[in-house]
Amino acid sequence: MKLTYALTALGLAVATPLPALAATINAVMYKNPQCSCCEAYAAYLGQNGFKVDIKPVNNLSQISSDAGVPADLEGCHTIMVDGYVVDGLVPVEIVKKLLIERPAITGITLAGMPAGAPGMGGEKSETWTIYAFTKDGKAPTVYATE
């Protein structure tokens, strides 16, 4: 174990452990075979500590629906990660926030394919609203904006 030393008010050195490096976060992405932005998004996640297993499917709407994603809030892919669903091009900071906070929800989604979102080209021109959803029929709520 690596140690670092911190000085106390009395001038004593106290050994404290350094935080462990974050482990790789495993995720499974379901995407339409013809969607290339999803692969760019998976690469973006990979650059930020995720290992993404990409599964091209021809029934993405059904997978999203079965996962609890509201039809009007579907993104271009559905990811299963650490017990949660992440749908669409959600910025990695918000995905990590979800995994740290562990709220009692099914998942989060950024609907559509907004310009400038991770994996998409173009410039960001609007505020993105990331919604939290559950499978119990309750209306989605705003989880984050960016």
Side-chain angles (χ1 to χ4, degrees):
M1 172 188 294
K2 292 184 180 180
L3 297 177
T4 187
Y5 293 92
L7 296 177
T8 67
L10 300 174
L12 301 173
V14 178
T16 57
L18 288 172
L21 293 176
T24 300
I25 303 166
N26 292 310
V28 177
M29 172 189 279
Y30 297 92
K31 68 176 232 35
N32 287 318
Q34 66 275 12
C35 186
S36 62
C37 75
C38 297
E39 289 159 7
Y41 183 75
Y44 160 77
L45 289 178
Q47 295 166 356
N48 287 282
F50 289 75
K51 180 180 177 201
V52 182
D53 181 15
I54 301 173
K55 298 200 178 285
V57 296
N58 292 313
N59 62 339
L60 183 60
S61 287
Q62 185 63 51
I63 289 170
S64 297
S65 175
D66 291 349
V69 181
D72 60 335
L73 294 178
E74 286 181 10
C76 59
H77 58 258
T78 299
I79 297 176
M80 308 303 181
V81 57
D82 200 17
Y84 287 99
V85 177
V86 175
D87 208 75
L89 303 166
V90 179
V92 71
E93 298 82 17
I94 296 172
V95 176
K96 288 182 175 182
K97 175 182 184 242
L98 169 75
L99 299 176
I100 290 168
E101 292 180 349
R102 307 214 51 87
I105 59 174
T106 301
I108 57 176
T109 182
L110 174 58
M113 299 168 72
M120 289 295 295
E123 301 256 338
K124 182 179 178 191
S125 61
E126 62 188 2
T127 300
W128 301 326
T129 303
I130 294 89
Y131 290 94
F133 60 90
T134 60
K135 283 188 167 184
D136 60 8
K138 291 182 182 173
T141 58
V142 174
Y143 183 72
T145 56
E146 183 159 313

